[in-house]
Amino acid sequence: MIFTETLTKKFSSITAVAGVSLQVQQGDIFGLVGPDGAGKTTLIRMLCGLITPDSGSITMVDNAASGESSASFGYMPQKFSLYGDLTVMENINFFGAMYGLNGTIINQRADEILQITNLFRFKQRFADNLSGGMKQKLALTCALLARPRLLVLDEPTFGVDPESRKEFWKILYQLNQEGMTILVSTPYMDEAELCKRVGFMNNGRLVVVDSPKNMKSRYPYRILEIKCASRQPEIFQGLPEILESNFYGDKYRLVVQEAKIAEAAVVEFLQGRDIPLYRLKETKPTMEDVFVALAEKEVVEWSMSSQPVN
Amino acid sequence: MSRILAVLYKEFLQMKRDKLTIGLIFMLPLVQLLLFGYAIQTEVKHIPTVVFDQSLSPESREITRAFTASGYFDVVAATGNYQQVTQLIDRGTVKVGIIFPPDYAKQVRSGDTAAIQVLVDATDSMVSNSAIATANSIGLLKSQQVLAEKVGQFKAPYDIRVRPWYNPDGITAYYMVPAILGIIVTMTMVMMTSMGIVRERERGTLEQLMVTPIKSYELMIGKIIPYIALGYLQITVALLVGAIVFDVPIRGSLLELYLLTLFFITASLGIGVLISNIAKNQMQAMQMSFFILLPSILLSGFMFPREAMPVFIKALSNIIPLTFYLTIIRGIVLKGIGFAYLVPQVTALLVFTVILMGISIMRFKKKIA
């Protein structure tokens, strides 16, 4: 659906996107993740034609759309970008007209989409008076009016409460099942798990592209989960067997190279200090673990040496 | 076309809900007209004056009466010493001191030249010019009368008959009200338009609009037309207030006035659109608008006559659209002239429009960076 080749964009001396070659397949839910400033928004804006790339090419192909005249993609920018001083319906009518749709079609489609997005009751409410989650759903509604085959969303759930995020993703899944290809960027790792394929960006480069499942299975380290009497967040820091330790209130998550050796080291360490150990077990890595590892320099080699990105 | 209409309708809805803007649209012409029309008087009358009369004679009183009768001098104090005259002037209580010497009456009777000293506080040149000119002409007039009495049959060797055309009574409002229309249109077209367009960028709505199939020109036309309508609405309000409150006569054709105003509107819009292209946010747009507005007010001939300007500044005033519009609007309203006399000015405005819009169109791309 989308093919880019060595896409590059510089802003004065900063290279925001450096030679990104990306493929989004038809029917994908493609998640673009990476730390702030990784170049996700710039990449998305280039894909939408809002920014001209310095070099590289973008090809958009739509195999299924034969003779369909409607706009090929819907776009939802990072920042809420509808008119706050217009009502939900006025926004919809305006953007519908921008896509050249007539009033009857707009009304018909709006009813349909508003049912899905659960905004039907709020038709007459000013967009400014909607909650964060509802605003995003309204923006989604507007992006869907032209019945796009491809939907591009830039951090659509940023700053939205968990309940609304869940609901929003349910809608995305439903749309995807109806055949829509979705490209979405997100700062939330739990959302990355929901994507069919995930591209990890760092410093303007697309570092890895794979399914969340494969990414986790390719994770080079092991994770230990520990519950003990200690509540000191940094107690395990400095142990040579432990690469990284994180404290989550009642438990520790340790990133280690060798599970058995580290387990022994932890047990010995706690016994030496008379700290009772309640539980020690190895757990599966989450996407969060994968991205923490990916974002750190020392493991870039791992990702680069892994199977070619496709 | 349907897209332009949709943008128009959207703008209309937003304007309707923006109570402050609506208020400004009507208050701006009203307040400006009342302020400029009433408060600004280039001819200064009723200047507070002190008299130090050492002569205390019928002759000195006659001259004092002539001063007050002119309407330019209000005698607010009489004093018995010179020091107090200077004190009153220093303090600002009076602007003018009239001093008669002790032997004034004697000199008049003997036929000598009698000296009257008039002290003028010239810190404000507008006031002092008015005082000096009037004092001089009172002196001349009185001298003539005395001469005439002496010679008996007296004929002035010259007689200059001045006919002040178009505004015989020198009413400032006649001159100001049409010019204020120009200022109001400049403000609306430059400031409101540029801010209106920049707001879309600031709020991110432009980004959303750019992925829709709307063309740049469709968006521009849709955004600009409401402001043109607003400008005409303001002009109408201002003309009505001018006619009702200040009795400004509209001697030329109203239709011609409205038509030729369009050239000024497009030139000003050119500035507004250009600003909106450069400014990153509404604050910048506003500051840039003031950067345009101030020279327009000061150099166009709105406040100060261009005839009095140094050559360089006068040349500079030729790149301000308002300069040309003032000639047009004062011409139509006060002189009753029409397009035939205003071709150079209209041409100038047309040139502004083409250049400014040209730059804007070249600069404006459907991109955000």
Side-chain angles (χ1 to χ4, degrees), chain B residues 228-286:
Chain B
I228 296 181
L230 273 188
Y232 272 120
L233 201 66
Q234 290 181 313
I235 286 180
T236 310
V237 171
L239 281 175
L240 279 173
V241 174
I244 295 165
V245 179
F246 296 105
D247 294 317
V248 176
I250 295 165
R251 300 204 174 96
S253 138
L254 208 55
L255 181 70
E256 218 159 356
L257 176 64
Y258 274 74
L259 280 177
L260 295 189
T261 297
L262 190 63
F263 290 94
F264 179 57
I265 284 179
T266 53
S268 304
L269 271 177
I271 300 176
V273 172
L274 189 61
I275 287 178
S276 74
N277 265 339
I278 301 167
K280 292 204 166 51
N281 50 51
Q282 290 188 73
M283 191 56 148
Q284 284 185 0
M286 191 151 87

Side-chain angles (χ1 to χ4, degrees), chain B residues 87-100:
Chain B
Q87 257 178 20
L88 284 171
I89 291 176
D90 282 347
R91 222 180 283 152
T93 319
V94 301
K95 301 277 186 199
V96 174
I98 302 170
I99 299 159
F100 296 94

Side-chain angles (χ1 to χ4, degrees), chain B residues 109-335:
Chain B
R109 282 171 217 151
S110 69
D112 268 353
T113 304
I116 307 164
Q117 191 179 25
V118 178
L119 297 175
V120 178
D121 172 3
T123 40
D124 186 333
S125 62
M126 208 90 101
V127 177
S128 61
N129 285 345
S130 184
I132 292 164
T134 318
N136 279 331
S137 57
I138 289 171
L140 275 174
L141 215 73
K142 280 312 217 183
S143 303
Q144 259 182 23
Q145 278 178 15
V146 173
L147 276 176
E149 273 168 31
K150 269 191 192 156
V151 181
Q153 264 224 329
F154 176 76
K155 253 188 179 166
Y158 305 110
D159 182 10
I160 294 172
R161 297 186 179 194
V162 179
R163 297 268 182 281
W165 274 16
Y166 309 127
N167 188 0
D169 301 323
I171 299 168
T172 319
Y174 285 12
Y175 187 65
M176 283 308 225
V177 169
I180 291 163
L181 296 195
I183 297 286
I184 293 165
V185 171
T186 309
M187 283 177 97
T188 305
M189 294 305 140
V190 176
M191 200 178 320
M192 291 178 74
T193 310
S194 62
M195 286 175 70
I197 297 172
V198 170
R199 194 173 324 150
E200 297 260 358
R201 187 173 354 215
E202 211 175 37
R203 290 191 185 163
T205 45
L206 198 62
E207 190 173 341
Q208 187 76 72
L209 276 173
M210 278 171 175
V211 296
T212 73
I214 192 170
K215 303 270 187 306
S216 308
Y217 78 88
E218 290 174 322
L219 180 62
M220 277 298 152
I221 293 173
K223 290 229 46 131
I224 282 172
I225 288 177
Y227 291 102
I228 296 181
L230 273 188
Y232 272 120
L233 201 66
Q234 290 181 313
I235 286 180
T236 310
V237 171
L239 281 175
L240 279 173
V241 174
I244 295 165
V245 179
F246 296 105
D247 294 317
V248 176
I250 295 165
R251 300 204 174 96
S253 138
L254 208 55
L255 181 70
E256 218 159 356
L257 176 64
Y258 274 74
L259 280 177
L260 295 189
T261 297
L262 190 63
F263 290 94
F264 179 57
I265 284 179
T266 53
S268 304
L269 271 177
I271 300 176
V273 172
L274 189 61
I275 287 178
S276 74
N277 265 339
I278 301 167
K280 292 204 166 51
N281 50 51
Q282 290 188 73
M283 191 56 148
Q284 284 185 0
M286 191 151 87
Q287 285 171 336
M288 285 190 218
S289 301
F290 272 112
F291 186 75
I292 298 292
L293 205 60
L294 272 178
S296 291
I297 290 175
L298 296 175
L299 302 183
S300 63
F302 170 70
M303 295 219 79
F304 309 112
R306 287 177 70 229
E307 288 74 13
M309 291 173 191
V311 182
F312 171 71
I313 300 291
K314 199 171 169 182
L316 204 66
S317 72
N318 277 328
I319 57 165
I320 297 171
L322 185 60
T323 307
F324 299 96
Y325 184 61
L326 286 188
T327 313
I328 293 175
I329 192 161
R330 280 176 176 155
I332 294 176
V333 172
L334 295 181
K335 293 187 180 173

Side-chain angles (χ1 to χ4, degrees), chain A residues 269-282:
Chain A
F269 175 78
L270 289 175
Q271 270 170 357
R273 297 181 173 223
D274 272 339
I275 299 170
L277 174 68
Y278 304 142
R279 203 177 70 188
L280 172 72
K281 63 165 190 180
E282 191 182 346

Side-chain angles (χ1 to χ4, degrees), chain A residues 13-306:
Chain A
S13 63
I14 303 150
T15 308
V17 171
V20 167
S21 299
L22 171 84
Q23 289 186 26
V24 177
Q25 308 292 342
Q26 196 124 17
D28 239 347
I29 299 183
F30 191 100
L32 209 51
V33 295
D36 279 345
K40 297 177 305 240
T41 296
T42 308
L43 178 61
I44 283 178
R45 284 180 168 173
M46 283 195 283
L47 295 177
C48 293
L50 291 165
I51 297 178
T52 323
D54 293 334
S55 61
S57 67
I58 302 167
T59 321
M60 296 238 196
V61 207
D62 190 354
N63 305 330
S66 43
E68 185 132 359
S69 62
S70 66
S72 60
F73 73 99
Y75 169 55
M76 210 179 122
Q78 197 168 21
K79 203 176 129 196
F80 178 68
S81 53
L82 302 178
Y83 298 95
D85 46 358
L86 298 186
T87 64
V88 167
M89 219 36 221
E90 284 164 354
N91 267 300
I92 290 173
N93 282 327
F94 175 69
F95 281 101
M98 291 300 105
Y99 283 107
L101 308 173
N102 71 41
T104 334
I105 292 183
I106 295 173
N107 276 320
Q108 190 189 321
R109 290 190 186 172
D111 283 358
E112 212 177 289
I113 307 169
L114 288 174
Q115 291 291 6
I116 302 173
T117 53
N118 247 331
L119 281 179
F120 204 82
R121 288 176 297 140
F122 304 109
K123 269 180 157 182
Q124 300 311 321
R125 194 180 276 199
F126 284 110
D128 266 345
N129 299 339
L130 294 174
S131 73
M134 289 201 284
K135 274 183 184 165
Q136 292 308 78
K137 286 196 283 187
L138 174 58
L140 180 66
T141 307
C142 289
L144 291 174
L145 278 175
R147 294 238 162 109
R149 310 266 316 144
L150 168 68
L151 188 61
V152 180
L153 311 108
D154 192 3
E155 303 198 350
T157 55
F158 187 72
V160 172
D161 68 273
E163 201 52 46
S164 303
R165 274 170 54 196
K166 241 186 256 169
E167 210 181 326
F168 195 87
W169 272 87
K170 239 167 77 186
I171 299 167
L172 291 188
Y173 258 83
Q174 192 179 335
L175 293 169
N176 181 251
Q177 257 155 26
E178 288 164 15
M180 198 178 288
T181 309
I182 293 170
L183 172 66
V184 56
S185 76
T186 176
Y188 299 113
M189 291 312 145
D190 55 335
E191 289 185 354
E193 309 243 14
L194 298 173
C195 298
K196 289 188 181 167
R197 285 193 325 138
V198 170
F200 180 79
M201 279 190 86
N202 200 8
N203 293 322
R205 287 177 314 143
L206 189 63
V207 182
V208 204
V209 179
D210 214 331
S211 68
K213 199 175 147 225
N214 284 346
M215 274 197 175
K216 283 185 281 189
S217 70
R218 272 161 54 187
Y219 184 67
Y221 308 120
R222 315 291 283 269
I223 306 281
L224 298 181
E225 211 174 80
I226 295 166
K227 273 193 175 180
C228 63
S230 166
R231 283 280 197 272
Q232 262 180 279
E234 302 190 342
I235 190 165
F236 293 110
Q237 228 126 60
L239 279 183
E241 293 83 0
I242 289 159
L243 300 172
E244 204 182 302
S245 126
N246 289 299
F247 182 58
Y248 291 97
D250 63 335
K251 63 184 181 211
Y252 296 89
R253 267 177 92 84
L254 308 182
V255 179
V256 302
Q257 196 80 52
E258 295 288 342
K260 288 278 169 280
I261 298 172
E263 266 175 36
V266 166
V267 170
E268 191 189 337
F269 175 78
L270 289 175
Q271 270 170 357
R273 297 181 173 223
D274 272 339
I275 299 170
L277 174 68
Y278 304 142
R279 203 177 70 188
L280 172 72
K281 63 165 190 180
E282 191 182 346
T283 61
K284 286 190 174 142
T286 62
M287 283 305 269
E288 190 150 353
D289 297 316
V290 172
F291 292 125
V292 169
L294 277 169
E296 274 164 24
K297 280 194 185 71
E298 55 261 49
V299 289
V300 167
E301 279 169 44
W302 157 62
S303 55
M304 297 307 280
S305 62
S306 64

